[in-house]
Amino acid sequence: MSNNHTSLTEKTTFKINTQAKNIITITSSDSLIKAWQYALYQEEPVLILGEGSNVLFLEDFIGTVIINRIKGITVTEDNYSWKLHVGAGENWHDLVKYSLAHGIAGLENLALIFGCVGSAPIQNIGAYGIEFQKVCEYVDVLNLYTKKSFRLMAHECQFGYRTSIFMYRYKNGYAVIAVGLHLNKQWHPVLHYGDLAKLSHKYVTPKQVFNYVCHLRRLKLPNPKNTGNVGSFFKNPIVIPAVAEQIKFRYPKVPLYQQVSGNIKLAAGWLIDSCGLKGFQIGRAAVHNEQALVLINLDNATSHDVIKLARVVRNSVAQKFGVWLEPEVRFISSISEIDAIEALS
């Protein structure tokens, strides 16, 4: 367990200049418990962070930030499937590369998603037609008050679109410490989403899908190592069919995605782009020129710049389409996570 007083700027992909009173990097459940207890003893706010790829610190954090670096990958198999037990502090994209390097397919559509493995179940990450819940077998959780860990099977995680039980019931006082993945040996490519439909079901390989997904994401999304961002800033809104039909009548080119529930998913990036906001800038924060769903830190943007920009984007979409976008990014105040919608209202 390492302890240092340092900036949060390089601990997050948005690279907003903020500080924490204390930052502790942990590598085991025991060190996580000790760090948590230390913060409670100091009567300070405490926040657990992975790679900071989905957070916006609105101001300096007056307590302890715990960086989760619990690592380790264990692979077992039977005649039909591969099973991976993965520490929450592993890098997600590195896990995807690791699996392919070991002849294990099934994660390739989720390539180049920034962040740690432990964040994957919390928001049920997804891309190009696959969500985390499809490959999840279980999630191991640590109760920081009782110091006991327990396992939730996938059906107990209440997965939904960018949500799970970890955003509600197990949000405070709990930490994801590992996930279990179940990947079938009989591989079936998922190519129905977007440009992946150009690939051949008959001849494509997992590595080719991986390479194409990486290519597409690099074309559309800025690398946070070069340009501060958190990927998709807003969720794709899901609306009832009647609302979708009204928007389709007024804007025939709007892309619509039928959901199992019967509701319709709209492309938030398309809605923002249709408001003419690509490249729109407030202070040093801007809407990305290639993918309007991404808000970027041009250099030395403040959290106030980002909030003002996000508010303009949200209000513009609501005014034109009658749909209120919901932030995907977590907003962190000086003491805790706050309601992002309220912050933008």
Side-chain angles (χ1 to χ4, degrees):
M1 182 168 69
S2 61
N3 184 335
N4 51 30
H5 299 261
T6 187
S7 170
L8 286 167
T9 307
E10 296 304 318
K11 304 295 185 184
T12 66
T13 59
F14 227 139
K15 302 189 184 304
I16 302 295
N17 184 20
T18 48
Q19 306 282 326
K21 181 180 179 182
N22 196 40
I23 295 178
I24 300 176
T25 300
I26 62 91
T27 56
S28 68
S29 294
D30 287 342
S31 59
L32 174 54
I33 291 170
K34 289 178 182 178
W36 179 268
Q37 290 179 327
Y38 169 82
L40 294 185
Y41 177 77
Q42 297 293 321
E43 296 184 342
E44 295 176 346
V46 59
L47 179 74
I48 300 174
L49 203 62
E51 293 186 355
S53 59
N54 197 47
V55 296
L56 171 65
F57 280 91
L58 305 182
E59 52 198 335
D60 291 344
F61 194 75
I62 65 173
T64 297
V65 173
I66 301 173
I67 307 294
N68 187 340
R69 290 295 178 267
I70 299 174
K71 297 197 173 185
I73 302 174
T74 303
V75 180
T76 57
E77 63 177 300
D78 56 31
N79 291 334
Y80 306 102
S81 63
W82 302 97
K83 296 190 176 185
L84 284 68
H85 179 88
V86 189
E90 292 283 354
N91 175 273
W92 177 264
H93 182 61
D94 287 347
L95 170 65
V96 178
K97 292 192 294 184
Y98 173 95
S99 65
L100 287 175
H102 288 77
I104 302 171
L107 299 180
E108 55 284 337
N109 291 53
L110 300 175
L112 216 60
I113 294 178
F114 297 101
C116 284
V117 167
S119 301
I122 296 174
Q123 283 203 304
N124 188 25
I125 62 171
Y128 292 99
I130 290 185
E131 290 184 328
F132 175 80
Q133 64 180 354
K134 182 178 180 180
V135 298
C136 177
E137 181 177 12
Y138 60 80
V139 179
D140 286 345
V141 184
L142 179 64
N143 183 325
L144 291 160
Y145 293 106
T146 66
K147 307 177 189 177
K148 302 292 185 180
S149 62
F150 59 93
R151 176 167 292 179
L152 291 178
M153 303 310 292
H155 70 272
E156 299 176 289
C157 294
Q158 297 180 17
F159 289 123
Y161 175 61
R162 300 299 176 268
T163 190
S164 70
I165 198 170
F166 309 106
M167 297 185 73
Y168 306 100
R169 183 174 176 182
Y170 298 120
K171 182 176 182 179
N172 297 314
Y174 299 87
V176 174
I177 54 175
V179 304
L181 304 179
H182 181 278
L183 301 169
N184 292 325
K185 288 186 174 180
Q186 187 172 0
W187 179 69
H188 297 286
V190 178
L191 305 176
H192 63 269
Y193 195 93
D195 289 339
L196 289 188
K198 298 177 182 178
L199 300 178
S200 167
H201 271 270
K202 186 174 182 179
Y203 298 108
V204 73
T205 66
K207 182 65 174 178
Q208 288 172 334
V209 175
F210 169 86
N211 288 337
Y212 198 48
V213 167
C214 290
H215 169 71
L216 292 173
R217 291 183 72 87
R218 288 182 177 122
L219 279 179
K220 299 177 180 179
L221 303 174
N223 187 335
K225 292 180 180 179
N226 304 320
T227 305
N229 75 94
V230 290
S232 300
F233 193 92
F234 295 99
K235 298 178 184 179
N236 290 316
I238 296 177
V239 300
I240 61 174
V243 172
E245 289 171 9
Q246 290 174 5
I247 295 175
K248 182 74 172 178
F249 178 76
R250 294 167 56 203
Y251 306 97
K253 293 184 179 181
V254 62
L256 305 176
Y257 302 96
Q258 183 73 45
Q259 303 298 291
V260 175
S261 65
N263 290 328
I264 309 295
K265 182 191 292 184
L266 306 175
W270 187 92
L271 301 178
I272 298 168
D273 187 15
S274 297
C275 292
L277 291 173
K278 276 186 179 177
F280 181 76
Q281 181 177 339
I282 291 181
R284 299 301 297 161
V287 178
H288 191 241
N289 278 316
E290 297 298 325
Q291 172 51 273
L293 192 52
V294 178
L295 306 187
I296 60 174
N297 178 358
L298 291 172
D299 189 22
N300 296 320
T302 67
S303 58
H304 298 293
D305 293 337
V306 177
I307 291 296
K308 290 177 183 177
L309 178 63
R311 188 176 291 129
V312 168
V313 170
R314 190 166 182 263
N315 290 343
S316 297
V317 170
Q319 184 175 10
K320 184 168 185 175
F321 296 101
V323 174
W324 288 98
L325 298 181
E326 180 180 339
E328 186 171 319
V329 61
R330 298 168 58 199
F331 286 17
I332 312 297
S333 73
S334 63
I335 59 173
S336 66
E337 181 174 353
I338 65 171
D339 187 285
I341 294 176
E342 288 185 9
L344 296 181
S345 298

